[in-house]
Amino acid sequence: MSRIASVLLPMPLPEAFDYAEPEGMDLAVGDQVAAPLGPRLMRGVVVGLRDAVGGNRPLKPLAERLDEPRLPENTLEFVQWAARYAVDAPGGPLAIALRGARAPKPKPVKVLELTGAEPGKLTPARQKVLDAAAAPMSPADLARAAGVSSGVVKGLVDEGVLAVRQIVAEAAFDPPDLSRPGPELNPSQRASAEAMTALLDEDRFGVALLDGVTGSGKTEVYLEAAAHALAADPTAQVLILLPEIALTQAVIGRVAARFGAQPGEWHSDVAPPARRRTWEAVASGRCRIVVGARSALFLPFLNLRLIVVDEEHDSSFKQEEGFIYHARDLAVVRGRIEKAAVVLASATPSLESLRNAETGRYRWLRLAGRHGIARLPDIELVDLRVTPPETGRWLSPPLVTAMAETLARGEQTLLFLNRRGYAPLVLCRACGERMTAPDTDSWLVEHRYSGRLVCHLTGFSMPKPDRCPHCGAKDSLVSIGPGVERVEEEARLLFPEARVAVFSSDTVFDAREARRLVESMAAGDIDILVATQAAAKGHNFPKLTLVGVVDADLGLRGGDLRAAERTYQLLAQATGRAGRRDRPGKALLQTYAPDHAVMQALAAQDRDAFVAAEMEEREFARLPPFGRLAAVVASGTDPGQLDAFVRTMAEAAPNAEGVEVYGPADAPLGLVRGRRRKRFLVRADRTVDLSAYMATWRARVKPPASVRVAIDIDPYSFL
Ligand code: ADP
């Protein structure tokens, strides 16, 4: 009997399509196939096979089974689970899972090899080439290695002593060396590592929250757990997720040092051919350790035993565009599907994870304090109402004094300001016009390095004009407020002899540049680093003893659900960079609100009191982690149609116990890329299946072609 194959395509289609399996194709679930869709052939994945029973209308046959690795069933189950949870088409997460499979294959390269033939005449230069040619390499590399001109190499090729061969460079993915000892763990680290290895030995799904201050050795502890997982099973794979590309670089270095082998690297900055190699090596089980950003969670692991989510509280784990998901939450789901251990590590865990630890759903592993003699920094609040900076400056006298002392001791300062560019606002002195993006509700940010005004939301940019576009006044545009570039300018003015650098996503645009800057900071080649959050997290800079937070109040101004929590986490992280070795550290927080609960908790280093107060507020309001939230953003180019649609949508909201629907309301960001935006917010009790509720609601309405509807389960952005 012939069979029907259900094929999932990486496109926004509601479900898998059925095709006929041609005679002899012999498909299995997970196979990649070429499926006809309209006039085209699309790459898809077989998610189901069943016998064809008579009477069905004839189905189109599949064109081909691709000679590509099969997607493991667990990966497929994960993709489908993620889609249902996000109330989105499974094609979105499937596209992420296939990203590596669809990347171009690495191109073959030309290498030279010894043929065994003797050269007619053996000069010293030729001898050098023959010695260097033991390993195959490109003609240019060979000439360089031998220290001879390319003519010498060419002569040997012409004589047939060397022959050209095309090879596709295979990434080595050497097996980890598990005989290397890790550091001697201190008692509380050992207790946590043992709890994790016990979890791994149970060989079933379980989650541990690894909770320890910055510098307590969380990385050492989870690397120990990774070593255990890899040693227990020769096919075991380990995934370490990090929120930022810059952080992956540091952890890749530590993994390589611990296991004597490079891990697979996975993030948006990995070149497509390398991505392809890593994807295939993960699918074949050859690559056993992956360090990556959130999308690494969708790789086709064969035997994933341990997932580590480092800095688990970080909101960068939330993907806000395209397929919307939170990698920490999905890591727990993937762990359940794989029956693997999941470790969530943080110095400032999210309230969600803390709640799960409090209620016993997660094992709570607490590390006592900083490892060895390193101490947490002293944190002082600088009341900007009492000691303000001079006009047009951003660094207050107490901070400047502390910087001077730090420099004099030959130590390093980190100035933290979570604002890219030179100035967050440009306005006209003559008419008061604020420079905004043409099709988006946002101010244009001035960037001095590039000389442009940039919309951080959409990427729109334009040269800074010399006349006000509104009133035409010449040279009337003034820069308001500081970004990192402006603070850098001030630091250079104050300390002309100091070596000052900036670290933000505009100045450090790829992984290599990030690594270079992190290394020169670690080596002490920089005196003052001005950085956004890109550098404020996770790094170890031994000579960094002063952290100055330029605007501690910045994160509190938005006022959303997590504003206080996020500010606390970010500032605890940033201040935690100071004094990580034997030198005591200090952090100064510049604030206009020293009495705010967040500032008080930071100064007193009393995380538990802050968390308790915040939990109480959330519980009272029945907000996460005590309730669930979902957002709907409807956007459209035609305001009339959008208004009519959101009214219909409001009426169509299903009635359900324990669910409240708020809205529609104009989104705070009312216009993005020319589209007007309206929002609903849904709050539900924890017992409600919110995804099912949202799916029912969505199925009841059909937006007109000009309107797009995006559902965001557990939103982090309320804009
Ligand atoms: P965290 O991940 O909690 O911020 P790390 O694992 O980065 O902490 O540890 C901070 C520093 O202390 C690192 O340089 C690390 O190598 C060192 N360290 C931590 N634990 C030990 C240990 N048991 N023995 C030696 N060095 C350690």
Side-chain angles (χ1 to χ4, degrees):
M1 199 187 308
S2 60
R3 292 195 301 175
I4 296 177
S6 277
V7 175
L8 207 56
L9 300 167
M11 298 178 65
L13 301 167
E15 55 198 15
F17 280 6
D18 283 350
Y19 290 90
E21 177 188 37
E23 201 67 36
M25 197 176 268
D26 209 13
L27 290 170
V29 168
D31 276 338
Q32 299 188 46
V33 290
L37 189 74
R40 292 187 300 153
L41 283 181
M42 286 279 305
R43 180 194 295 258
V45 178
V46 177
V47 291
L49 287 159
R50 61 185 193 276
D51 288 333
V53 279
N56 280 356
R57 69 190 163 81
L59 293 169
K60 275 196 196 163
L62 287 169
E64 189 189 348
R65 189 180 74 192
L66 302 175
D67 183 20
E68 298 272 6
R70 187 174 283 166
L71 255 73
E73 287 200 33
N74 283 344
T75 305
L76 286 177
E77 185 183 340
F78 174 62
V79 160
Q80 288 168 303
W81 198 101
R84 196 201 81 85
Y85 182 76
V87 200
D88 206 342
L94 182 69
I96 305 175
L98 288 179
R99 208 173 272 161
R102 295 159 92 192
K105 288 200 168 161
K107 287 207 182 69
V109 290
K110 232 166 67 171
V111 294
L112 294 179
E113 274 182 336
L114 291 169
T115 59
E118 294 287 329
K121 197 173 79 191
L122 191 59
T123 62
R126 287 186 152 197
Q127 184 61 50
K128 281 190 203 152
V129 175
L130 298 187
D131 293 343
M137 59 183 106
S138 73
D141 284 348
L142 184 55
R144 205 169 310 127
V148 302
S149 74
S150 58
V152 181
V153 173
K154 187 168 177 302
L156 287 167
V157 174
D158 292 345
E159 270 185 40
V161 177
L162 291 167
V164 177
R165 194 160 63 100
Q166 302 268 350
I167 58 161
V168 176
E170 279 259 335
F173 293 116
D174 293 329
D177 177 357
L178 300 170
S179 63
R180 293 187 174 211
E184 176 103 15
L185 298 181
N186 67 37
S188 99
Q189 292 172 342
R190 198 172 326 118
S192 294
E194 279 166 9
M196 281 182 208
T197 53
L199 187 66
L200 284 161
D201 288 342
E202 287 171 24
D203 230 5
R204 61 179 178 84
F205 166 62
V207 186
L209 175 62
L210 181 59
D211 175 359
V213 295
T214 51
S216 56
K218 297 183 291 297
T219 313
E220 301 294 353
V221 172
Y222 72 64
L223 289 181
E224 196 56 38
H228 184 82
L230 295 166
D233 175 348
T235 66
Q237 292 172 302
V238 171
L239 168 63
I240 301 172
L241 288 178
L242 292 137
E244 306 263 351
I245 295 179
L247 277 183
T248 60
Q249 299 308 297
V251 172
I252 285 169
R254 287 178 73 169
V255 167
R258 177 76 169 78
F259 297 113
Q262 283 293 325
E265 177 174 357
W266 190 268
H267 48 72
S268 57
D269 201 35
V270 173
R275 200 179 287 180
R276 169 95 183 195
R277 270 201 293 261
T278 303
W279 193 90
E280 288 181 354
V282 170
S284 71
R286 258 189 325 121
C287 176
R288 298 188 60 202
I289 312 174
V290 174
V291 177
R294 58 196 174 205
S295 62
L297 196 53
F298 291 84
L299 282 167
F301 291 98
L302 278 184
N303 184 20
L304 187 56
R305 303 315 313 138
L306 172 67
I307 307 176
V308 177
V309 184
D310 201 353
E311 311 292 354
E312 69 89 33
H313 63 276
D314 199 299
S315 50
S316 305
F317 280 121
K318 181 84 196 252
Q319 160 80 33
E320 305 269 7
E321 301 235 316
F323 180 67
I324 300 176
Y325 66 95
H326 197 303
R328 177 197 60 229
D329 298 347
L330 284 193
V332 173
V333 172
R334 177 120 205 200
R336 183 162 49 71
I337 291 173
E338 305 279 352
K339 299 190 180 57
V342 180
V343 172
L344 309 178
S346 175
T348 51
S350 61
L351 292 198
E352 281 80 358
S353 297
L354 282 171
R355 180 77 192 140
N356 280 324
E358 278 172 9
T359 54
R361 264 194 293 266
Y362 296 172
R363 288 186 212 186
W364 196 349
L365 310 176
R366 296 194 82 154
L367 294 179
R370 286 201 159 175
H371 176 71
I373 52 169
R375 286 193 308 119
L376 277 173
D378 292 327
I379 298 184
E380 289 168 26
L381 303 178
V382 177
D383 188 340
L384 290 178
R385 297 166 307 185
V386 180
T387 48
E390 288 168 31
T391 318
R393 297 282 180 93
W394 317 100
L395 304 175
S396 63
L399 180 52
V400 174
T401 307
M403 288 171 72
E405 289 166 3
T406 307
L407 257 179
R409 283 196 306 269
E411 296 171 355
Q412 294 170 307
T413 297
L414 172 75
L415 293 177
F416 172 66
L417 175 62
N418 211 11
R419 233 189 215 148
R420 296 158 48 201
Y422 184 81
L425 171 65
V426 176
L427 63 72
C428 171
R429 213 173 4 210
C431 73
E433 170 79 357
R434 294 167 177 205
M435 298 291 291
T436 55
D439 59 352
T440 299
D441 269 350
S442 78
W443 294 341
L444 290 175
V445 177
E446 179 177 0
H447 285 243
R448 284 266 163 107
Y449 279 125
S450 60
R452 297 181 80 84
L453 305 181
V454 182
C455 171
H456 284 181
L457 214 60
T458 63
F460 165 86
S461 76
M462 58 188 259
K464 187 179 176 189
D466 53 5
R467 287 180 184 280
C468 169
H470 191 64
C471 71
K474 194 156 171 23
D475 296 330
S476 67
L477 296 177
V478 285
S479 316
I480 307 293
V484 275
E485 292 176 11
R486 198 168 199 175
V487 172
E488 179 207 10
E489 183 182 86
E490 184 172 340
R492 285 188 197 280
L493 266 172
L494 288 165
F495 303 103
E497 74 290 7
R499 296 160 299 173
V500 183
V502 179
F503 196 137
S504 83
S505 56
D506 304 293
T507 52
V508 176
F509 23 78
D510 63 20
R512 196 177 326 145
E513 181 60 18
R515 190 175 334 168
R516 199 190 59 73
L517 203 60
V518 166
E519 280 169 4
S520 52
M521 185 69 186
D525 297 338
I526 295 169
D527 298 312
I528 301 172
L529 183 65
V530 187
T532 62
Q533 60 171 336
K537 304 170 185 174
H539 299 296
N540 262 314
F541 300 129
K543 281 173 74 185
L544 173 61
T545 55
L546 175 66
V547 171
V549 176
V550 177
D551 183 353
D553 311 329
L554 185 59
L556 292 173
R557 286 182 202 129
D560 73 42
L561 162 72
R562 293 186 181 83
E565 181 189 354
R566 209 159 30 216
T567 301
Y568 184 87
Q569 288 162 342
L570 194 54
L571 298 187
Q573 277 295 329
T575 55
R577 296 308 110 213
R580 285 169 68 90
R581 283 279 166 85
D582 46 349
R583 308 175 195 223
K586 181 155 98 162
L588 296 183
L589 267 56
Q590 300 195 133
T591 172
Y592 284 101
D595 299 327
H596 193 287
V598 170
M599 302 307 150
Q600 288 294 319
L602 282 164
Q605 313 231 5
D606 193 350
R607 188 191 91 190
D608 292 347
F610 171 73
V611 167
E614 190 69 15
M615 284 274 194
E616 203 172 307
E617 279 184 31
R618 301 271 187 99
E619 185 164 20
F620 180 74
R622 295 180 302 149
L623 289 171
F626 299 92
R628 297 176 192 277
L629 288 181
V632 179
V633 176
S635 65
T637 43
D638 177 332
Q641 277 190 346
L642 179 63
D643 278 343
F645 173 73
V646 290
R647 271 199 305 275
T648 318
M649 186 150 181
E651 282 160 18
N655 266 325
E657 196 156 329
V659 180
E660 297 115 46
V661 176
Y662 302 97
D666 289 334
L669 270 176
L671 182 71
V672 175
R673 293 190 179 93
R675 300 178 75 86
R676 301 246 151 243
R677 300 168 82 244
K678 299 268 185 186
R679 291 185 73 103
F680 290 92
L681 189 64
V682 183
R683 195 214 68 84
D685 293 346
R686 284 200 59 86
T687 47
V688 172
D689 181 345
L690 189 53
S691 298
Y693 176 90
M694 300 302 288
T696 309
W697 188 8
R698 167 179 260 182
R700 288 184 178 181
V701 290
K702 189 170 173 353
S706 70
V707 172
R708 260 187 243 147
V709 178
I711 293 177
D712 183 356
I713 300 286
D714 198 16
Y716 275 60
S717 162
F718 297 85
L719 295 176

